[in-house]
Amino acid sequence: MSFKLPELPYAYDALAPYMSRETLEYHHDKHHKAYVDNGNKLLEGSGLEGKSLEEIVKGSHGKNAGLFNNAGQHYNHIHFWQWMKPNGGGDKIPGKLKAAIDSDLGGVEKMKTDFAQAGATQFGSGWCWIEVKGGKLAISKTPNGENPLVNGASPILGCDVWEHSYYIDYRNRRPDYLKAFMDHLVNWDHVEEMYLAATK
Ligand code: FE2
């Protein structure tokens, strides 16, 4: 399959003031689009044409760095837009996901602290995650365009900690961005959907 830039699932100004129109215009229309366009060029002749995006991410890891970086970022950003919504965040976490957070991650408050810590301590560009590995939830972080798929896990929530995701709105204050993401933006219903899909 060739890569295609998805529409944002909300208006460009829908996440303000926590994520501005300007950030979403640059992040979606410029950065994500570049991953799509470059990924499509690199997919040609790679031997992975016709595979699913997840298969392309896993199949290019460690073998075709250019394709992997763009395909990984395409996968990450498709989900990143879905992992946010207006008036999201907070503690309104659906029951099955909440039970798993309580049993595997030490409860909601500890999950929030550990997720923010993973994002704040990812040196340079990357992502922090809640993933499912071996049927259990775990917190992790990855550099650049990597994601939990390459470690045999399934991501169910990720936050982009590349500067392009927060510098316009938060300048260098990455921890403030991570707190706003968790308190006001996370679409917990979508996280639970991915949790249920990863554990069935
Ligand atoms: Fe990004």
Side-chain angles (χ1 to χ4, degrees), residues 1-38:
M1 58 175 267
S2 61
F3 302 155
K4 187 168 179 295
L5 183 67
E7 296 282 323
L8 283 183
Y10 31 71
Y12 284 93
D13 57 3
L15 303 184
Y18 307 107
M19 188 173 284
S20 66
R21 165 186 285 273
E22 186 181 2
T23 289
L24 282 173
E25 284 176 348
Y26 273 84
H27 199 173
H28 176 272
D29 298 4
K30 308 285 187 196
H31 291 280
H32 190 174
K33 183 172 188 301
Y35 299 131
V36 168
D37 292 345
N38 292 329

mmCIF file of all heavy atoms in Angstrom, residues 1-38:
data_model
loop_
_atom_site.group_PDB
_atom_site.id
_atom_site.type_symbol
_atom_site.label_atom_id
_atom_site.label_comp_id
_atom_site.label_asym_id
_atom_site.label_seq_id
_atom_site.Cartn_x
_atom_site.Cartn_y
_atom_site.Cartn_z
ATOM 1 N N MET A 1 0.836 -1.195 0.000
ATOM 2 C CA MET A 1 0.000 0.000 0.000
ATOM 3 C C MET A 1 0.867 1.239 0.000
ATOM 4 O O MET A 1 1.953 1.229 0.561
ATOM 5 C CB MET A 1 -0.881 0.017 1.254
ATOM 6 C CG MET A 1 -0.086 -0.019 2.565
ATOM 7 S SD MET A 1 -1.122 0.145 4.024
ATOM 8 C CE MET A 1 -1.064 1.908 4.284
ATOM 9 N N SER A 2 0.406 2.274 -0.681
ATOM 10 C CA SER A 2 1.154 3.526 -0.561
ATOM 11 C C SER A 2 0.612 4.307 0.632
ATOM 12 O O SER A 2 -0.505 4.078 1.089
ATOM 13 C CB SER A 2 1.053 4.340 -1.848
ATOM 14 O OG SER A 2 -0.286 4.658 -2.100
ATOM 15 N N PHE A 3 1.440 5.204 1.114
ATOM 16 C CA PHE A 3 1.065 5.981 2.299
ATOM 17 C C PHE A 3 0.173 7.142 1.885
ATOM 18 O O PHE A 3 0.346 7.724 0.819
ATOM 19 C CB PHE A 3 2.310 6.531 2.992
ATOM 20 C CG PHE A 3 3.299 5.475 3.415
ATOM 21 C CD1 PHE A 3 4.645 5.795 3.557
ATOM 22 C CD2 PHE A 3 2.899 4.180 3.688
ATOM 23 C CE1 PHE A 3 5.569 4.842 3.951
ATOM 24 C CE2 PHE A 3 3.819 3.212 4.079
ATOM 25 C CZ PHE A 3 5.157 3.547 4.211
ATOM 26 N N LYS A 4 -0.758 7.497 2.750
ATOM 27 C CA LYS A 4 -1.691 8.587 2.468
ATOM 28 C C LYS A 4 -1.861 9.407 3.742
ATOM 29 O O LYS A 4 -2.049 8.827 4.830
ATOM 30 C CB LYS A 4 -3.029 7.977 2.046
ATOM 31 C CG LYS A 4 -4.033 8.984 1.555
ATOM 32 C CD LYS A 4 -5.220 8.256 0.889
ATOM 33 C CE LYS A 4 -6.254 9.233 0.398
ATOM 34 N NZ LYS A 4 -6.895 9.989 1.485
ATOM 35 N N LEU A 5 -1.762 10.718 3.589
ATOM 36 C CA LEU A 5 -1.918 11.599 4.752
ATOM 37 C C LEU A 5 -3.392 11.623 5.170
ATOM 38 O O LEU A 5 -4.247 12.012 4.368
ATOM 39 C CB LEU A 5 -1.452 13.012 4.388
ATOM 40 C CG LEU A 5 -1.484 14.037 5.530
ATOM 41 C CD1 LEU A 5 -0.456 13.693 6.603
ATOM 42 C CD2 LEU A 5 -1.230 15.444 4.990
ATOM 43 N N PRO A 6 -3.703 11.216 6.427
ATOM 44 C CA PRO A 6 -5.107 11.269 6.851
ATOM 45 C C PRO A 6 -5.496 12.692 7.220
ATOM 46 O O PRO A 6 -4.649 13.520 7.567
ATOM 47 C CB PRO A 6 -5.114 10.373 8.095
ATOM 48 C CG PRO A 6 -3.738 10.531 8.668
ATOM 49 C CD PRO A 6 -2.804 10.732 7.493
ATOM 50 N N GLU A 7 -6.781 12.978 7.143
ATOM 51 C CA GLU A 7 -7.287 14.243 7.678
ATOM 52 C C GLU A 7 -7.191 14.213 9.192
ATOM 53 O O GLU A 7 -7.320 13.146 9.803
ATOM 54 C CB GLU A 7 -8.764 14.422 7.301
ATOM 55 C CG GLU A 7 -9.041 14.538 5.815
ATOM 56 C CD GLU A 7 -8.706 15.921 5.291
ATOM 57 O OE1 GLU A 7 -8.925 16.907 6.007
ATOM 58 O OE2 GLU A 7 -8.193 15.996 4.157
ATOM 59 N N LEU A 8 -7.017 15.374 9.813
ATOM 60 C CA LEU A 8 -7.149 15.430 11.269
ATOM 61 C C LEU A 8 -8.594 15.095 11.633
ATOM 62 O O LEU A 8 -9.519 15.492 10.929
ATOM 63 C CB LEU A 8 -6.841 16.842 11.781
ATOM 64 C CG LEU A 8 -5.388 17.279 11.857
ATOM 65 C CD1 LEU A 8 -5.339 18.691 12.453
ATOM 66 C CD2 LEU A 8 -4.547 16.324 12.673
ATOM 67 N N PRO A 9 -8.797 14.375 12.760
ATOM 68 C CA PRO A 9 -10.168 14.019 13.142
ATOM 69 C C PRO A 9 -10.904 15.140 13.877
ATOM 70 O O PRO A 9 -11.947 14.890 14.473
ATOM 71 C CB PRO A 9 -9.960 12.794 14.051
ATOM 72 C CG PRO A 9 -8.591 12.939 14.591
ATOM 73 C CD PRO A 9 -7.778 13.680 13.561
ATOM 74 N N TYR A 10 -10.357 16.362 13.863
ATOM 75 C CA TYR A 10 -10.979 17.531 14.514
ATOM 76 C C TYR A 10 -10.447 18.767 13.798
ATOM 77 O O TYR A 10 -9.525 18.662 12.974
ATOM 78 C CB TYR A 10 -10.629 17.593 16.014
ATOM 79 C CG TYR A 10 -9.274 17.004 16.337
ATOM 80 C CD1 TYR A 10 -8.108 17.656 15.958
ATOM 81 C CD2 TYR A 10 -9.161 15.770 16.955
ATOM 82 C CE1 TYR A 10 -6.870 17.093 16.204
ATOM 83 C CE2 TYR A 10 -7.915 15.196 17.203
ATOM 84 C CZ TYR A 10 -6.787 15.859 16.822
ATOM 85 O OH TYR A 10 -5.561 15.308 17.039
ATOM 86 N N ALA A 11 -11.032 19.912 14.101
ATOM 87 C CA ALA A 11 -10.589 21.151 13.463
ATOM 88 C C ALA A 11 -9.198 21.538 13.965
ATOM 89 O O ALA A 11 -8.778 21.141 15.059
ATOM 90 C CB ALA A 11 -11.580 22.266 13.783
ATOM 91 N N TYR A 12 -8.495 22.345 13.159
ATOM 92 C CA TYR A 12 -7.129 22.728 13.530
ATOM 93 C C TYR A 12 -7.067 23.504 14.850
ATOM 94 O O TYR A 12 -6.058 23.465 15.540
ATOM 95 C CB TYR A 12 -6.498 23.575 12.410
ATOM 96 C CG TYR A 12 -6.058 22.772 11.219
ATOM 97 C CD1 TYR A 12 -6.903 22.586 10.131
ATOM 98 C CD2 TYR A 12 -4.794 22.181 11.176
ATOM 99 C CE1 TYR A 12 -6.501 21.838 9.030
ATOM 100 C CE2 TYR A 12 -4.381 21.437 10.085
ATOM 101 C CZ TYR A 12 -5.245 21.268 9.010
ATOM 102 O OH TYR A 12 -4.832 20.528 7.928
ATOM 103 N N ASP A 13 -8.159 24.211 15.171
ATOM 104 C CA ASP A 13 -8.131 24.992 16.419
ATOM 105 C C ASP A 13 -8.841 24.274 17.573
ATOM 106 O O ASP A 13 -9.045 24.854 18.626
ATOM 107 C CB ASP A 13 -8.745 26.375 16.201
ATOM 108 C CG ASP A 13 -10.171 26.303 15.687
ATOM 109 O OD1 ASP A 13 -10.708 25.183 15.554
ATOM 110 O OD2 ASP A 13 -10.741 27.377 15.408
ATOM 111 N N ALA A 14 -9.188 22.995 17.379
ATOM 112 C CA ALA A 14 -10.011 22.287 18.370
ATOM 113 C C ALA A 14 -9.249 21.930 19.647
ATOM 114 O O ALA A 14 -9.875 21.691 20.679
ATOM 115 C CB ALA A 14 -10.582 21.007 17.763
ATOM 116 N N LEU A 15 -7.923 21.882 19.583
ATOM 117 C CA LEU A 15 -7.152 21.453 20.750
ATOM 118 C C LEU A 15 -6.545 22.635 21.514
ATOM 119 O O LEU A 15 -5.847 22.442 22.505
ATOM 120 C CB LEU A 15 -6.048 20.475 20.341
ATOM 121 C CG LEU A 15 -6.525 19.217 19.598
ATOM 122 C CD1 LEU A 15 -5.337 18.292 19.336
ATOM 123 C CD2 LEU A 15 -7.608 18.473 20.363
ATOM 124 N N ALA A 16 -6.818 23.844 21.035
ATOM 125 C CA ALA A 16 -6.304 25.035 21.712
ATOM 126 C C ALA A 16 -6.996 25.183 23.066
ATOM 127 O O ALA A 16 -8.160 24.777 23.205
ATOM 128 C CB ALA A 16 -6.580 26.266 20.844
ATOM 129 N N PRO A 17 -6.341 25.737 24.065
ATOM 130 C CA PRO A 17 -5.005 26.338 24.008
ATOM 131 C C PRO A 17 -3.870 25.344 24.261
ATOM 132 O O PRO A 17 -2.725 25.741 24.313
ATOM 133 C CB PRO A 17 -5.061 27.353 25.158
ATOM 134 C CG PRO A 17 -5.914 26.665 26.186
ATOM 135 C CD PRO A 17 -6.948 25.895 25.393
ATOM 136 N N TYR A 18 -4.200 24.056 24.404
ATOM 137 C CA TYR A 18 -3.161 23.086 24.798
ATOM 138 C C TYR A 18 -2.274 22.696 23.626
ATOM 139 O O TYR A 18 -1.117 22.308 23.799
ATOM 140 C CB TYR A 18 -3.815 21.864 25.433
ATOM 141 C CG TYR A 18 -4.725 22.292 26.552
ATOM 142 C CD1 TYR A 18 -6.111 22.241 26.423
ATOM 143 C CD2 TYR A 18 -4.185 22.838 27.712
ATOM 144 C CE1 TYR A 18 -6.938 22.690 27.433
ATOM 145 C CE2 TYR A 18 -5.014 23.297 28.731
ATOM 146 C CZ TYR A 18 -6.380 23.229 28.584
ATOM 147 O OH TYR A 18 -7.196 23.696 29.575
ATOM 148 N N MET A 19 -2.864 22.745 22.405
ATOM 149 C CA MET A 19 -2.079 22.552 21.189
ATOM 150 C C MET A 19 -2.707 23.473 20.151
ATOM 151 O O MET A 19 -3.879 23.330 19.804
ATOM 152 C CB MET A 19 -2.112 21.085 20.753
ATOM 153 C CG MET A 19 -1.162 20.767 19.616
ATOM 154 S SD MET A 19 -1.102 18.987 19.268
ATOM 155 C CE MET A 19 -0.093 18.409 20.635
ATOM 156 N N SER A 20 -1.929 24.421 19.675
ATOM 157 C CA SER A 20 -2.499 25.518 18.877
ATOM 158 C C SER A 20 -2.747 25.124 17.425
ATOM 159 O O SER A 20 -2.197 24.142 16.910
ATOM 160 C CB SER A 20 -1.542 26.708 18.905
ATOM 161 O OG SER A 20 -0.334 26.356 18.240
ATOM 162 N N ARG A 21 -3.546 25.947 16.771
ATOM 163 C CA ARG A 21 -3.755 25.814 15.325
ATOM 164 C C ARG A 21 -2.417 25.839 14.582
ATOM 165 O O ARG A 21 -2.183 25.008 13.691
ATOM 166 C CB ARG A 21 -4.638 26.966 14.833
ATOM 167 C CG ARG A 21 -4.627 27.139 13.322
ATOM 168 C CD ARG A 21 -5.405 28.374 12.899
ATOM 169 N NE ARG A 21 -6.829 28.138 12.991
ATOM 170 C CZ ARG A 21 -7.564 27.603 12.014
ATOM 171 N NH1 ARG A 21 -7.004 27.247 10.875
ATOM 172 N NH2 ARG A 21 -8.850 27.429 12.166
ATOM 173 N N GLU A 22 -1.539 26.757 14.971
ATOM 174 C CA GLU A 22 -0.255 26.864 14.260
ATOM 175 C C GLU A 22 0.553 25.574 14.389
ATOM 176 O O GLU A 22 1.128 25.085 13.409
ATOM 177 C CB GLU A 22 0.546 28.059 14.797
ATOM 178 C CG GLU A 22 1.822 28.303 14.004
ATOM 179 C CD GLU A 22 2.644 29.479 14.529
ATOM 180 O OE1 GLU A 22 2.250 30.098 15.546
ATOM 181 O OE2 GLU A 22 3.690 29.755 13.918
ATOM 182 N N THR A 23 0.575 25.009 15.593
ATOM 183 C CA THR A 23 1.301 23.748 15.785
ATOM 184 C C THR A 23 0.701 22.657 14.913
ATOM 185 O O THR A 23 1.426 21.915 14.234
ATOM 186 C CB THR A 23 1.256 23.319 17.264
ATOM 187 O OG1 THR A 23 2.078 24.210 18.015
ATOM 188 C CG2 THR A 23 1.774 21.900 17.468
ATOM 189 N N LEU A 24 -0.628 22.519 14.920
ATOM 190 C CA LEU A 24 -1.249 21.441 14.146
ATOM 191 C C LEU A 24 -1.073 21.663 12.647
ATOM 192 O O LEU A 24 -0.891 20.699 11.894
ATOM 193 C CB LEU A 24 -2.733 21.309 14.498
ATOM 194 C CG LEU A 24 -2.974 20.587 15.827
ATOM 195 C CD1 LEU A 24 -4.449 20.643 16.205
ATOM 196 C CD2 LEU A 24 -2.508 19.136 15.777
ATOM 197 N N GLU A 25 -1.111 22.918 12.199
ATOM 198 C CA GLU A 25 -0.909 23.169 10.769
ATOM 199 C C GLU A 25 0.502 22.736 10.344
ATOM 200 O O GLU A 25 0.667 22.071 9.326
ATOM 201 C CB GLU A 25 -1.131 24.654 10.453
ATOM 202 C CG GLU A 25 -2.611 25.013 10.447
ATOM 203 C CD GLU A 25 -2.885 26.499 10.245
ATOM 204 O OE1 GLU A 25 -1.930 27.301 10.332
ATOM 205 O OE2 GLU A 25 -4.047 26.848 10.031
ATOM 206 N N TYR A 26 1.501 23.092 11.128
ATOM 207 C CA TYR A 26 2.867 22.689 10.778
ATOM 208 C C TYR A 26 3.071 21.198 10.972
ATOM 209 O O TYR A 26 3.664 20.515 10.126
ATOM 210 C CB TYR A 26 3.895 23.476 11.604
ATOM 211 C CG TYR A 26 4.256 24.792 10.969
ATOM 212 C CD1 TYR A 26 3.470 25.922 11.174
ATOM 213 C CD2 TYR A 26 5.364 24.900 10.124
ATOM 214 C CE1 TYR A 26 3.772 27.124 10.574
ATOM 215 C CE2 TYR A 26 5.681 26.102 9.515
ATOM 216 C CZ TYR A 26 4.886 27.211 9.741
ATOM 217 O OH TYR A 26 5.187 28.397 9.129
ATOM 218 N N HIS A 27 2.578 20.688 12.097
ATOM 219 C CA HIS A 27 2.861 19.301 12.458
ATOM 220 C C HIS A 27 2.180 18.331 11.493
ATOM 221 O O HIS A 27 2.801 17.383 11.008
ATOM 222 C CB HIS A 27 2.389 19.056 13.901
ATOM 223 C CG HIS A 27 2.981 17.858 14.556
ATOM 224 N ND1 HIS A 27 2.782 17.564 15.882
ATOM 225 C CD2 HIS A 27 3.776 16.869 14.073
ATOM 226 C CE1 HIS A 27 3.425 16.454 16.179
ATOM 227 N NE2 HIS A 27 4.035 16.006 15.102
ATOM 228 N N HIS A 28 0.917 18.594 11.194
ATOM 229 C CA HIS A 28 0.172 17.711 10.286
ATOM 230 C C HIS A 28 0.485 18.019 8.821
ATOM 231 O O HIS A 28 0.856 17.130 8.044
ATOM 232 C CB HIS A 28 -1.336 17.856 10.548
ATOM 233 C CG HIS A 28 -2.186 17.063 9.601
ATOM 234 N ND1 HIS A 28 -2.614 17.552 8.385
ATOM 235 C CD2 HIS A 28 -2.673 15.797 9.679
ATOM 236 C CE1 HIS A 28 -3.324 16.630 7.763
ATOM 237 N NE2 HIS A 28 -3.383 15.561 8.521
ATOM 238 N N ASP A 29 0.380 19.284 8.433
ATOM 239 C CA ASP A 29 0.447 19.618 6.999
ATOM 240 C C ASP A 29 1.870 19.607 6.451
ATOM 241 O O ASP A 29 2.057 19.413 5.244
ATOM 242 C CB ASP A 29 -0.141 21.014 6.738
ATOM 243 C CG ASP A 29 -1.614 21.115 7.099
ATOM 244 O OD1 ASP A 29 -2.184 20.142 7.617
ATOM 245 O OD2 ASP A 29 -2.191 22.196 6.879
ATOM 246 N N LYS A 30 2.849 19.852 7.320
ATOM 247 C CA LYS A 30 4.246 19.886 6.840
ATOM 248 C C LYS A 30 5.003 18.625 7.273
ATOM 249 O O LYS A 30 5.553 17.912 6.443
ATOM 250 C CB LYS A 30 4.982 21.113 7.392
ATOM 251 C CG LYS A 30 4.270 22.428 7.152
ATOM 252 C CD LYS A 30 4.367 22.908 5.729
ATOM 253 C CE LYS A 30 3.786 24.302 5.586
ATOM 254 N NZ LYS A 30 3.521 24.632 4.192
ATOM 255 N N HIS A 31 5.074 18.393 8.601
ATOM 256 C CA HIS A 31 5.911 17.288 9.073
ATOM 257 C C HIS A 31 5.336 15.923 8.698
ATOM 258 O O HIS A 31 6.034 15.091 8.111
ATOM 259 C CB HIS A 31 6.106 17.385 10.591
ATOM 260 C CG HIS A 31 6.946 18.548 10.993
ATOM 261 N ND1 HIS A 31 8.327 18.532 10.923
ATOM 262 C CD2 HIS A 31 6.615 19.775 11.441
ATOM 263 C CE1 HIS A 31 8.805 19.706 11.328
ATOM 264 N NE2 HIS A 31 7.779 20.484 11.651
ATOM 265 N N HIS A 32 4.067 15.692 9.050
ATOM 266 C CA HIS A 32 3.491 14.377 8.713
ATOM 267 C C HIS A 32 3.460 14.188 7.196
ATOM 268 O O HIS A 32 3.781 13.114 6.692
ATOM 269 C CB HIS A 32 2.090 14.238 9.335
ATOM 270 C CG HIS A 32 1.530 12.838 9.244
ATOM 271 N ND1 HIS A 32 0.355 12.459 9.826
ATOM 272 C CD2 HIS A 32 1.997 11.731 8.609
ATOM 273 C CE1 HIS A 32 0.126 11.182 9.564
ATOM 274 N NE2 HIS A 32 1.098 10.719 8.826
ATOM 275 N N LYS A 33 3.107 15.235 6.462
ATOM 276 C CA LYS A 33 3.064 15.119 4.998
ATOM 277 C C LYS A 33 4.434 14.741 4.429
ATOM 278 O O LYS A 33 4.526 13.950 3.487
ATOM 279 C CB LYS A 33 2.575 16.427 4.374
ATOM 280 C CG LYS A 33 2.435 16.339 2.850
ATOM 281 C CD LYS A 33 1.777 17.573 2.292
ATOM 282 C CE LYS A 33 1.463 17.405 0.805
ATOM 283 N NZ LYS A 33 2.638 17.134 -0.024
ATOM 284 N N ALA A 34 5.496 15.295 5.010
ATOM 285 C CA ALA A 34 6.842 14.970 4.527
ATOM 286 C C ALA A 34 7.165 13.488 4.754
ATOM 287 O O ALA A 34 7.789 12.845 3.901
ATOM 288 C CB ALA A 34 7.877 15.850 5.215
ATOM 289 N N TYR A 35 6.725 12.940 5.897
ATOM 290 C CA TYR A 35 6.956 11.504 6.132
ATOM 291 C C TYR A 35 6.209 10.675 5.085
ATOM 292 O O TYR A 35 6.717 9.655 4.598
ATOM 293 C CB TYR A 35 6.487 11.099 7.537
ATOM 294 C CG TYR A 35 7.191 11.817 8.672
ATOM 295 C CD1 TYR A 35 6.471 12.413 9.699
ATOM 296 C CD2 TYR A 35 8.579 11.886 8.725
ATOM 297 C CE1 TYR A 35 7.101 13.067 10.741
ATOM 298 C CE2 TYR A 35 9.222 12.543 9.763
ATOM 299 C CZ TYR A 35 8.480 13.133 10.770
ATOM 300 O OH TYR A 35 9.108 13.777 11.804
ATOM 301 N N VAL A 36 4.997 11.097 4.746
ATOM 302 C CA VAL A 36 4.198 10.379 3.747
ATOM 303 C C VAL A 36 4.885 10.452 2.373
ATOM 304 O O VAL A 36 5.084 9.429 1.705
ATOM 305 C CB VAL A 36 2.773 10.969 3.679
ATOM 306 C CG1 VAL A 36 2.018 10.435 2.461
ATOM 307 C CG2 VAL A 36 2.004 10.642 4.962
ATOM 308 N N ASP A 37 5.268 11.668 1.976
ATOM 309 C CA ASP A 37 5.851 11.841 0.638
ATOM 310 C C ASP A 37 7.203 11.124 0.526
ATOM 311 O O ASP A 37 7.476 10.430 -0.460
ATOM 312 C CB ASP A 37 6.028 13.335 0.332
ATOM 313 C CG ASP A 37 4.691 14.052 0.174
ATOM 314 O OD1 ASP A 37 3.659 13.358 0.023
ATOM 315 O OD2 ASP A 37 4.672 15.298 0.223
ATOM 316 N N ASN A 38 8.049 11.298 1.531
ATOM 317 C CA ASN A 38 9.361 10.634 1.493
ATOM 318 C C ASN A 38 9.212 9.122 1.612
ATOM 319 O O ASN A 38 9.934 8.359 0.963
ATOM 320 C CB ASN A 38 10.259 11.165 2.618
ATOM 321 C CG ASN A 38 10.658 12.617 2.385
ATOM 322 O OD1 ASN A 38 10.783 13.047 1.249
ATOM 323 N ND2 ASN A 38 10.844 13.366 3.456
#
